[in-house]
Amino acid sequence: MTSGLIDGNTLDGVSSTTLYTLHNRAAFADGPDKVIDDPMALRVRDAIEYDWSKFGTPVAAAALRARTFDSAVSAYLASRPHASVVALGEGLQTAYWRLGRPDTTWYSVDLEPVMELRARVLPREDRIVPVAASAFDLTWADGIDPEPGVFVSAEGLLMYFDEPTAMDLITRCAELFPGGGMIFDSIPEWLSRKTVAGVKLTEHYTMPAMPFSMTSSRGRSLADEIPGVASATDVLFPAHKGAWKFNSMPLVADSPLFRNRRTSVTVLRFAA
């Protein structure tokens, strides 16, 4: 390993997808194709010794998704400035530094190997509470006061689990945090089937299976499906070039042919 760098090979399985996401987000945080203002992502990537080439050519999806999540978190905090944010399966995400909310308590939840790597490559912040636990082990919620508001972020998480597990987590968050909210992303069924069958991105990297899928139409119906969910909104990626531009154009993204075949992001507001 190169002297002074931190070994990223301590992560495997689903946990290693945070390296894939970091690789893609950092690639679009600088240069002529810049999509997101994320200097911390560049700092973290450059601090880790890893064979980044195994992931192949970077794509803009992770950076566009991060901006979409940032917007939803910011919107909630604008109305509840002293609310807490819970980042489930946070991995090496760097949203805390992008949003710059000094009054916000940020709960960073992920498995122990991920949290250990996170502690080594990211600066310590008094407002960040690290929690080494599974997102599905709700002990992470112990001690979080729902009164000032709580917004739960599950970025790039739910698709790696089965439907009962994913839906139970959403339901429990609605029960635990009245007046709060949640954002998560979903993949379409056709992509879920492909990953379960096995998708080799490169000779050296196969995407982990993603058994859980949800269409944008179903995401918008969760207010009728889950008690405690007051509203459910499908939000689009910010404008971008290439194939991703269709995920930002309402007339195309919500057309019958495309609506349920694209990646979707769902924002929930919980009943008070």
Side-chain angles (χ1 to χ4, degrees):
M1 189 176 73
T2 304
S3 175
L5 296 185
I6 297 165
D7 187 8
N9 292 291
T10 55
L11 304 184
D12 56 18
V14 172
S15 291
S16 69
T17 61
T18 192
L19 295 166
Y20 174 72
T21 302
L22 173 65
H23 166 69
N24 285 282
R25 197 170 74 254
F28 289 89
D30 197 14
D33 294 325
K34 183 175 179 178
V35 169
I36 189 169
D37 188 12
D38 197 351
M40 190 62 74
L42 294 165
R43 170 177 166 176
V44 172
R45 182 198 59 188
D46 293 345
I48 295 175
E49 175 76 8
Y50 196 73
D51 180 12
W52 302 106
S53 67
K54 70 188 287 186
F55 296 134
T57 303
V59 294
L64 293 168
R65 181 179 68 184
R67 283 182 55 192
T68 307
F69 273 62
D70 286 356
S71 294
V73 174
S74 293
Y76 184 82
L77 293 177
S79 61
R80 308 286 291 270
H82 299 289
S84 296
V85 174
V86 180
L88 297 178
E90 185 166 36
L92 297 173
Q93 298 288 353
T94 50
Y96 175 86
W97 290 272
R98 292 195 304 269
L99 294 177
R101 303 288 306 204
D103 296 327
T104 300
T105 301
W106 193 280
Y107 293 86
S108 180
V109 182
D110 213 317
L111 299 176
E112 187 169 349
V114 180
M115 297 306 294
E116 289 177 354
L117 180 58
R118 188 176 171 86
R120 296 184 69 191
V121 298
L122 283 164
R124 185 182 180 279
E125 295 282 346
D126 291 341
R127 304 296 297 186
I128 297 179
V129 180
V131 183
S134 165
F136 303 94
D137 174 5
L138 293 174
T139 56
W140 56 258
D142 294 348
I144 299 180
D145 182 6
E147 187 63 29
V150 177
F151 196 80
V152 180
S153 173
E155 185 174 352
L157 174 68
L158 298 185
M159 64 279 292
Y160 294 106
F161 300 87
D162 59 34
E163 178 166 347
T165 301
M167 295 302 293
D168 181 66
L169 179 62
I170 298 170
T171 301
R172 293 287 289 122
C173 286
E175 294 172 355
L176 287 165
F177 306 120
M182 184 174 189
I183 182 171
F184 62 91
D185 56 309
S186 307
I187 60 171
E189 185 179 356
W190 67 266
L191 181 54
S192 174
R193 289 197 303 267
K194 282 189 68 173
T195 66
V196 170
V199 175
K200 252 180 116 61
L201 281 186
T202 68
E203 182 183 352
H204 302 291
Y205 185 70
T206 300
M207 294 177 68
M210 304 179 197
F212 176 59
S213 64
M214 180 180 289
T215 64
S216 65
S217 295
R218 187 183 177 197
R220 283 178 281 199
S221 74
L222 292 183
D224 299 320
E225 183 177 340
I226 299 177
V229 175
S231 68
T233 306
D234 177 64
V235 293
L236 301 180
F237 280 4
H240 190 55
K241 61 185 179 180
W244 290 105
K245 68 183 178 182
F246 299 115
N247 263 45
S248 66
M249 300 167 59
L251 288 178
V252 177
D254 209 33
S255 67
L257 288 177
F258 194 50
R259 177 190 307 139
N260 293 328
R261 292 185 57 79
R262 61 173 169 83
T263 296
S264 62
V265 178
T266 304
V267 176
L268 307 179
R269 288 297 184 102
F270 301 147

